[in-house]
């Protein structure tokens, strides 16, 4: 059974850094484009960052460009999101997602994790 499990969320102050991890199981990890989404209270879930199957291509939401970095380790079936220069508006539940496709996309993901909370105080 396909499963994505996020970890690494927590409390941070503005300007701090966090690193999120997502461990995948039950799927051929290197065949999947991986992404991170987030959902803040009262808002819709939004795309944050995506990475191609071998990690050569990435895509970011404008709001996180230059601050967040997505990466993956196919040998460990894990995708990461490095969050730097955190802002209070980054507060959200962060979700890992996977889709069996070739190009990095911002919609249409098939598998989702349960999410990890990131809270940033000013």
């Amino acid at each position: 059974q396909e499963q994505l499990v996020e970890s690494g969320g927590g409390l941070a102050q503005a300007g701090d850094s966090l690193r999120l991890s997502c461990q995948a199981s039950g799927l051929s990890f290197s065949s999947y484009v991986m992404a991170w989404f987030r959902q803040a209270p009262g808002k819709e879930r939004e795309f944050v960052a995506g990475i191609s199957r071998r990690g050569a291509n990435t895509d970011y939401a404008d709001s996180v460009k230059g601050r967040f970095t997505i990466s993956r380790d196919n040998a460990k079936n894990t995708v990461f999101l490095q969050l730097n220069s955190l802002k209070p508006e980054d507060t959200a539940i962060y979700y890992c997602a996977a889709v069996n496709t070739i190009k990095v996309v911002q919609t249409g993901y098939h598998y989702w994790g349960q999410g990890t909370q990131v809270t940033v105080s000013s």
Side-chain angles (χ1 to χ4, degrees):
Q1 182 176 358
E2 300 83 1
Q3 189 173 18
L4 302 175
V5 179
E6 301 95 336
S7 62
L11 299 175
Q13 293 189 333
D16 283 353
S17 297
L18 286 174
R19 191 189 195 205
L20 307 184
S21 299
C22 172
Q23 177 74 50
S25 60
L27 54 81
S28 181
F29 184 74
S30 61
S31 297
Y32 284 77
V33 168
M34 300 299 297
W36 289 92
F37 289 74
R38 68 185 181 186
Q39 187 167 20
K43 295 187 177 181
E44 294 187 353
R45 186 167 57 191
E46 64 175 355
F47 174 85
V48 175
I51 188 166
S52 59
R53 295 178 298 180
R54 296 187 178 184
N57 297 303
T58 57
D59 186 26
Y60 296 92
D62 288 342
S63 59
V64 307
K65 280 182 181 176
R67 299 189 299 121
F68 292 7
T69 303
I70 189 171
S71 61
R72 66 190 295 162
D73 185 340
N74 285 350
K76 297 182 178 180
N77 289 359
T78 303
V79 61
F80 305 97
L81 186 67
Q82 178 69 39
L83 292 69
N84 295 333
S85 302
L86 281 163
K87 304 176 180 180
E89 51 264 42
D90 294 321
T91 295
I93 299 174
Y94 283 72
Y95 298 91
C96 174
V99 62
N100 189 346
T101 189
I102 297 175
K103 294 184 178 181
V104 179
V105 294
Q106 298 190 2
T107 60
Y109 283 78
H110 298 154
Y111 302 113
W112 295 85
Q114 82 290 345
T116 185
Q117 177 72 48
V118 171
T119 303
V120 184
S121 62
S122 58

